[in-house]
Amino acid sequence: MSKATPFDQPGYWSDRFEHEQTFEWLMPWSVLEPHMRALSLLPQDMDSTRILNLGCGNSTLPLDLHQAGYHHVTSVDFVGSVVQRMKEHCEKAIGWSSPKTEPEAVDELAASHLNKAVVASSSCPLQFLEMDCLDMSSLPANKFNLCLDKSTSDAIACGDDENSTKIRKLCEQVARVVQPGGIWCVISYSRFRQYEWNDGGVGHDLWKTERIESIQVEPPSIGDRSSTQLNPPTGSKPAKGQRSTTEHVVHVPEVFQYLYVNYRL
């Protein structure tokens, strides 16, 4: 019997990041941004807005946010190697260099994502910190207006217990660094995550989940297990919700991901 993937463990991610340049969990910014704008979740004052990117991994979300006009983005992850790599990658992407170093060339991946634009600042607008999301005590209290969580809650929940001990701890930690009235947006595979607690325990009376938005996304492509199913006979067309193969048509169910909108009390 195969074991569950340990998504909550640093060792799993450290090994994975050694062989993976970049990967976008759940919906990309191009899909997420229109929904956040439609729900008025993106602050209008870009100069003063401070965003926390929770469990950043090797996602290009920091660059997306910078391109959207947000220049105070802090990304945290508990794998130091990926934090350092993404820090260097993003600094190259925006053409930033410290006063003591010469500007570095934009690498190929960064160049495809952003035009080089030198940012005149004493500190890089895209900050990266090695940090466990369950212990963010080294971050200042009430620093952020907005926290973005792209499936980090999902990963933490994989190693949680029946009392949601880790998720409740996460709620407490995020609440400490997000200003009252601030927003914690969670993008999740699950429709059944809980961030609002009113039982007197850890995480009690910190967050109000205002809404859970269901967002339909493109289903994943058929993998190797379906490689023997080829295209249908000439002239046949797959119906809605189906994908063609050379032998027959495969039904592809609709896929939804969920946007949780949590307000700091």
Side-chain angles (χ1 to χ4, degrees), residues 8-75:
D8 62 315
Q9 295 299 313
Y12 166 79
W13 292 107
S14 182
D15 291 342
R16 175 171 177 150
F17 292 145
E18 284 185 10
H19 309 287
E20 182 180 77
Q21 183 179 23
T22 185
F23 186 85
E24 204 64 43
W25 285 93
L26 304 187
M27 66 191 74
W29 179 247
S30 60
V31 174
L32 176 59
E33 182 183 20
H35 289 279
M36 292 191 68
R37 291 202 183 281
L39 297 172
S40 300
L41 299 177
L42 289 174
Q44 298 300 307
D45 187 354
M46 296 179 180
D47 291 333
S48 63
T49 294
R50 282 167 168 73
I51 299 175
L52 175 63
N53 179 23
L54 206 62
C56 61
N58 54 13
S59 164
T60 57
L61 180 61
L63 294 177
D64 293 317
L65 291 167
H66 186 272
Q67 188 174 39
Y70 295 99
H71 295 163
H72 300 285
V73 180
T74 300
S75 299

Side-chain angles (χ1 to χ4, degrees), residues 124-151:
C124 185
L126 301 181
Q127 294 288 311
F128 288 84
L129 300 172
E130 181 181 354
M131 187 176 296
D132 190 333
C133 296
L134 298 181
D135 181 8
M136 297 189 289
S137 56
S138 60
L139 287 176
N142 302 324
K143 178 177 181 178
F144 301 99
N145 313 89
L146 173 65
C147 176
L148 295 178
D149 171 350
K150 289 189 66 183
S151 207

Side-chain angles (χ1 to χ4, degrees), residues 186-222:
V186 180
I187 300 88
S188 175
Y189 285 109
S190 175
R191 174 63 179 79
F192 303 103
R193 294 276 176 252
Q194 183 174 352
Y195 303 94
E196 184 178 327
W197 305 90
N198 300 291
D199 57 2
V202 174
H204 167 77
D205 206 22
L206 294 175
W207 296 99
K208 173 67 175 177
T209 301
E210 288 288 339
R211 66 187 299 153
I212 305 172
E213 191 83 1
S214 300
I215 301 175
Q216 187 172 357
V217 297
E218 278 292 314
S221 58
I222 297 175

